């Protein structure tokens, strides 16, 4: 681990010298390529090789210096990558170094990969990705849970992942802001009536409060914490890397599957709205492959002398349905949106947004989800 001594915000001029020790050749170019909400991300290139430098800022990038944040998330991300990598090999990016004083991670440049979200928007669904992400979820969820992990090791590990500041960001942006008149909310004026309804909907607000409580208290596994389709990088040959683990913490089993499925539902509903029925079927298949792979791997890892598996999986799915509903609503009316839906032309965009909110609500307050097909059909229905 490198220790630079003091924190200095990197820029395209300084990052070349910072990253030079990790390249086998002179630096020829450095660019800031981050389009995320939180951090600086640079690509530093030599003639034939390149690395990524990801640096945490002392504030929320998308909101600016008015929303200060500690830089602990860089350590959390580096450690979570290392732990998840041991449980699910070949699906995390390689970390070359972590510099705690600079809050910077130097890592593998995933050249030629795109985010799963961008791939899906471009109508590409490389085979094997959904299956790989499902297996990753089962491996890290069970692998850091009391189902598998030795009790003492787990208690020690939990000390490194206390409820972080980014958990507070999630509490706010996912579980709270959409249900009150929060300044951070962003929505199209065509949704004003629905947004007012969200604020008045007591059943929905009660469900949100209950899920927020579950998020805060159910320390079941070291979850990724932000597993949307933009946190999955895919190559044309299906190679898959899960990135952006700064939100990792000990949270509920159902949260990661919920984020992933809700974001696949955005892809599905957007393609369906554009009339691309063939590709929307491909997204259906990806969602179902994801869940089947998670369930298969969980069953493989399970101790079959322990008969609790079916109940465990049923509860995970039920929670995933509820949390997915929350992700769906917040991406329509909260601070952080998704390209899949926002790139649609109006009035298509408005009708998809209204459908997503209705579907999210149904997942949050409707009957508990009992099977994967039930969850998925409620997430992608087009009934309004
Ligand atoms: C201000 S951070 C907004 C969102 O971006 C991240 O990817 C998380 O989803 C967070 O809620
Ligand atoms: Mg992210």
């Amino acid at each position: 681990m490198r220790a630079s001594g003091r924190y200095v915000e990197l820029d395209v001029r300084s990052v070349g010298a910072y990253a030079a020790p990790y390249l086998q050749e002179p630096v020829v170019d450095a660019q800031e390529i981050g389009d995320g909400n939180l951090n600086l991300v640079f690509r530093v290139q030599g003639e034939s090789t390149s690395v990524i430098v990801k640096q945490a800022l002392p504030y929320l990038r998308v909101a600016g210096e008015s929303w200060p944040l500690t830089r602990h998330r860089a350590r959390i991300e580096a450690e979570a990558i290392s732990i998840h990598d041991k449980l699910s090999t070949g699906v995390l990016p390689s970390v070359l170094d972590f510099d705690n004083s600079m809050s910077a991670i130097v890592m593998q440049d995933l050249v030629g990969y795109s985010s799963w979200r961008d791939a899906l928007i471009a109508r590409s669904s490389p085979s094997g990705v959904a299956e790989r992400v499902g297996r990753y979820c089962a491996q890290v969820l069970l692998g850091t849970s009391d189902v598998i992990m030795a009790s003492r090791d787990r208690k020690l590990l939990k000390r490194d992942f206390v409820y972080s500041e980014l958990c507070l960001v999630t509490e706010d942006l996912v579980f709270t802001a959409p249900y009150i008149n929060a300044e951070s909310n962003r929505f199209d004026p065509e949704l004003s009536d629905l947004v007012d309804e969200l604020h008045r909907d007591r059943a929905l607000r009660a469900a949100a409060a209950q899920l927020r409580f579950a998020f805060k208290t159910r320390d079941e596994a070291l979850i990724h914490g932000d597993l949307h389709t933009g946190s999955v990088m895919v190559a044309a040959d299906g190679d898959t890397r899960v990135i952006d683990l700064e939100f990792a913490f000990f949270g509920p089993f159902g949260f990661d599957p919920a984020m992933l499925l809700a974001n696949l539902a955005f892809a599905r509903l957007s393609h369906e709205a554009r009339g691309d029925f063939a590709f929307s079927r491909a997204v259906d298949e990806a969602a179902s492959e994801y869940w089947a792979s998670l369930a298969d791997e969980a069953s493989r890892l399970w101790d079959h002398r322990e008969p609790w598996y079916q109940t465990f999986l049923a509860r995970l799915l039920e929670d995933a349905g509820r949390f997915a509903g929350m992700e769906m609503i917040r991406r329509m009316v909260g601070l952080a949106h998704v390209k899949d839906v926002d790139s649609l032309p109006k009035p298509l965009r408005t009708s998809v947004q209204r459908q997503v909110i209705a579907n999210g609500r149904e997942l949050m307050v409707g009957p508990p989800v009992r099977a994967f097909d039930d969850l998925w059909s409620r997430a992608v229905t087009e009934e309004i």
Side-chain angles (χ1 to χ4, degrees), residues 170-182:
T170 302
E171 257 188 52
D172 185 1
L173 297 183
V174 178
F175 294 97
T176 309
Y179 306 95
I180 58 175
N181 193 13

Side-chain angles (χ1 to χ4, degrees), residues 36-39 54 224 226 228 230-231 243-244 246-247:
N37 297 319
L38 289 154
N39 306 298
K54 178 171 179 179
H224 177 288
D226 194 27
H228 55 80
S231 296
I243 61 165
D244 286 358
E246 60 262 69
F247 282 80

Side-chain angles (χ1 to χ4, degrees), residues 261-300:
L261 290 168
N263 281 271
L264 288 176
F266 299 143
R268 161 61 151 80
L269 284 162
S270 305
H271 283 292
E272 188 86 3
R274 288 182 198 272
D276 190 343
F277 305 119
F279 195 74
S280 63
R281 293 295 93 77
V283 183
D284 288 339
E285 277 163 31
S288 127
E289 273 167 32
Y290 164 76
W291 179 255
S293 162
L294 189 160
D296 281 358
E297 183 66 11
S299 156
R300 199 184 65 76

Side-chain angles (χ1 to χ4, degrees), residues 113-126 129 229 232-236 267 271 279 339-340:
Y113 290 62
S114 61
S115 76
W116 200 9
R117 184 184 309 287
D118 285 344
L120 289 166
I121 290 172
R123 306 184 70 258
S124 161
S125 180
V129 174
T229 47
V232 178
M233 301 295 287
V234 301
H271 283 292
F279 195 74
K339 277 190 268 186
D340 320 51

